[in-house]
Amino acid sequence: MTARSFQLGAEATRGEFVRQQSRFRDWVTADGSSGFPAEPGRYHLYVALACPWSHRTVIVRQLKGLSDVVGVSYLHPYRDERGWAFDGDECVDELHGWEFLSAAYLASDPTYEARVSVPVLWDRDTGRIVSNESADIVRMLNCEWDEWGDASVDLYPEELRPEIDSVNEYVYANVNNAVYMAGFSETQKAYDRAYRRVFDALPALDARLGDSRYLVGDTITLADWRLWVTLVRFDSVYHTHFRCNGARIVDFPALWGYTRELYQLPGVAETVSMEQIKRHYYTTHDMLNPKRIIPAGPEDLDFWEPHGRG
Ligand SMILES: N[C@@H](CCC(=O)N[C@@H](CS)C(=O)NCC(=O)O)C(=O)O
């Protein structure tokens, strides 16, 4: 896969990576007013464990106790120009036997020509994608299936929403997406800008998490999971593969303790496949790693070390 196959918009002339807008933005609602009523067994997630955007949907589904309510299928970590695929082995589409996730996009919109991304929230009844936007999917999972899930877990409390939204915006621009912008830059200048964003933000977030246990309020929210999915991949992948080598997460005391604390919460560690994460990034982006050799380290990364927070 070449850098060109990533969507490049008007910014392309400046060598910047531009992430495409999500095409499917419908909403599952508890009262059914959206046309997609929440029901157990009706909706299904297509995710890749390697992908940070997928990862947060997997975590929220888990924390909300929705494992038996919303199904899930996993895409294979290696992706070529045909897009995310099922390999028929450990990654199977139990619903349709599809080989490629592109089938879901074409079933939903036969004219779809943009990139096939994960995660996808699929509706088995209408046979179409409800949403391919993780930020929306985690909000739906947080409350719309509460009749069957754990209603006591609220990751997006009403009174904290404005602050969560504003932290999310900052973290998206300076961390989640900035590491990709650094990795997929096509000019030195574009890379330098992205790198600066990341290494201005990480010390700022380290300071914030030195003063408070979580990003917003005294409870874990969607803002934390947004940041965390990038932190957990950082030292193994982004530091090396995306040239974000200003420091590692283990070098930031608060960020590192926080990464371990969230990792150690019940149900979270099993959503992390470092094997799939490394395999995906280092074998899929040929323009960055044409020989597809997967780095062996880091050796000192122990997410189970006591976190000492609280
Ligand atoms: N806005 C989407 C972005 C998802 C996204 O970019 N996913 C990446 C994987 S990490 C993807 O599927 N890329 C496919 C491609 O570029 O071919 C979301 O947050 O749900």
Side-chain angles (χ1 to χ4, degrees), residues 153-294:
V153 174
D154 185 3
L155 300 167
Y156 195 47
E158 193 89 40
E159 67 283 7
L160 299 179
R161 288 185 186 179
E163 201 183 346
I164 293 173
D165 292 346
S166 112
V167 170
N168 275 349
E169 213 176 295
Y170 174 85
V171 169
Y172 174 80
N174 296 287
V175 184
N176 303 139
N177 197 47
V179 296
Y180 278 86
M181 290 180 79
F184 296 151
S185 296
E186 296 199 325
T187 64
Q188 183 70 47
K189 274 201 174 128
Y191 163 77
D192 289 343
R193 277 194 299 271
Y195 173 96
R196 200 60 274 146
R197 272 174 186 259
V198 174
F199 287 99
D200 285 345
L202 291 179
L205 290 162
D206 187 58
R208 183 170 178 131
L209 290 165
D211 290 340
S212 60
R213 189 150 176 190
Y214 306 115
L215 282 177
V216 180
D218 55 6
T219 173
I220 296 179
T221 66
L222 292 180
D224 295 297
W225 293 116
R226 174 181 275 283
L227 174 61
W228 185 84
V229 294
T230 297
L231 297 181
V232 82
R233 286 163 174 71
F234 198 93
D235 292 1
S236 300
V237 176
Y238 303 140
H239 177 277
T240 311
H241 188 60
F242 283 173
R243 307 185 189 95
C244 292
N245 64 348
R248 300 164 305 164
I249 299 308
V250 297
D251 300 322
F252 294 101
L255 281 179
W256 177 223
Y258 167 87
T259 304
R260 287 174 354 253
E261 180 187 355
L262 270 60
Y263 182 92
Q264 293 169 20
L265 292 172
V268 174
E270 52 260 44
T271 68
V272 180
S273 170
M274 205 47 86
E275 196 273 326
Q276 290 197 32
I277 290 171
K278 289 174 69 171
R279 188 151 158 213
H280 166 66
Y281 285 94
Y282 289 112
T283 67
T284 294
H285 308 136
D286 278 353
M287 70 292 196
L288 294 180
N289 193 28
K291 300 289 183 216
R292 300 185 187 169
I293 291 168
I294 304 173

Side-chain angles (χ1 to χ4, degrees), residues 2-310:
T2 65
R4 279 286 145 207
S5 64
F6 288 90
Q7 200 216 8
L8 296 167
E11 296 288 279
T13 46
R14 292 201 286 142
E16 277 185 356
F17 166 67
V18 182
R19 190 172 295 281
Q20 76 179 15
Q21 295 296 312
S22 301
R23 152 81 175 74
F24 300 98
R25 302 294 294 268
D26 284 308
W27 212 277
V28 173
T29 50
D31 64 7
S33 56
S34 61
F36 293 97
E39 287 169 25
R42 171 164 170 176
Y43 300 92
H44 197 81
L45 278 171
Y46 286 110
V47 300
L49 286 177
C51 158
W53 320 95
S54 293
H55 196 171
R56 57 198 182 128
T57 67
V58 172
I59 290 170
V60 175
R61 170 179 177 267
Q62 173 82 6
L63 298 178
K64 289 291 299 182
L66 293 172
S67 303
D68 296 328
V69 178
V70 178
V72 68
S73 297
Y74 302 96
L75 279 302
H76 193 266
Y78 172 71
R79 193 187 71 217
D80 62 19
E81 67 286 349
R82 295 169 297 176
W84 292 103
F86 301 96
D87 72 343
D89 191 1
E90 69 216 73
C91 299
V92 186
D93 169 33
E94 304 89 346
L95 302 187
H96 316 88
W98 284 330
E99 266 185 87
F100 293 97
L101 187 61
S102 53
Y105 280 78
L106 290 172
S108 310
D109 174 1
T111 66
Y112 189 82
E113 283 183 343
R115 302 196 65 81
V116 169
S117 64
V118 283
V120 156
L121 180 65
W122 175 260
D123 176 15
R124 303 173 65 155
D125 268 24
T126 58
R128 51 154 297 189
I129 296 173
V130 180
S131 175
N132 67 334
E133 175 49 54
S134 61
D136 296 349
I137 297 171
V138 291
R139 276 174 213 183
M140 293 177 222
L141 292 170
N142 182 58
C143 61
E144 306 298 349
W145 285 267
D146 272 357
E147 194 179 331
W148 305 277
D150 185 349
S152 71
V153 174
D154 185 3
L155 300 167
Y156 195 47
E158 193 89 40
E159 67 283 7
L160 299 179
R161 288 185 186 179
E163 201 183 346
I164 293 173
D165 292 346
S166 112
V167 170
N168 275 349
E169 213 176 295
Y170 174 85
V171 169
Y172 174 80
N174 296 287
V175 184
N176 303 139
N177 197 47
V179 296
Y180 278 86
M181 290 180 79
F184 296 151
S185 296
E186 296 199 325
T187 64
Q188 183 70 47
K189 274 201 174 128
Y191 163 77
D192 289 343
R193 277 194 299 271
Y195 173 96
R196 200 60 274 146
R197 272 174 186 259
V198 174
F199 287 99
D200 285 345
L202 291 179
L205 290 162
D206 187 58
R208 183 170 178 131
L209 290 165
D211 290 340
S212 60
R213 189 150 176 190
Y214 306 115
L215 282 177
V216 180
D218 55 6
T219 173
I220 296 179
T221 66
L222 292 180
D224 295 297
W225 293 116
R226 174 181 275 283
L227 174 61
W228 185 84
V229 294
T230 297
L231 297 181
V232 82
R233 286 163 174 71
F234 198 93
D235 292 1
S236 300
V237 176
Y238 303 140
H239 177 277
T240 311
H241 188 60
F242 283 173
R243 307 185 189 95
C244 292
N245 64 348
R248 300 164 305 164
I249 299 308
V250 297
D251 300 322
F252 294 101
L255 281 179
W256 177 223
Y258 167 87
T259 304
R260 287 174 354 253
E261 180 187 355
L262 270 60
Y263 182 92
Q264 293 169 20
L265 292 172
V268 174
E270 52 260 44
T271 68
V272 180
S273 170
M274 205 47 86
E275 196 273 326
Q276 290 197 32
I277 290 171
K278 289 174 69 171
R279 188 151 158 213
H280 166 66
Y281 285 94
Y282 289 112
T283 67
T284 294
H285 308 136
D286 278 353
M287 70 292 196
L288 294 180
N289 193 28
K291 300 289 183 216
R292 300 185 187 169
I293 291 168
I294 304 173
E299 299 213 351
D300 54 355
L301 204 61
D302 180 7
F303 293 109
W304 287 113
E305 213 178 275
H307 57 76
R309 289 176 69 80

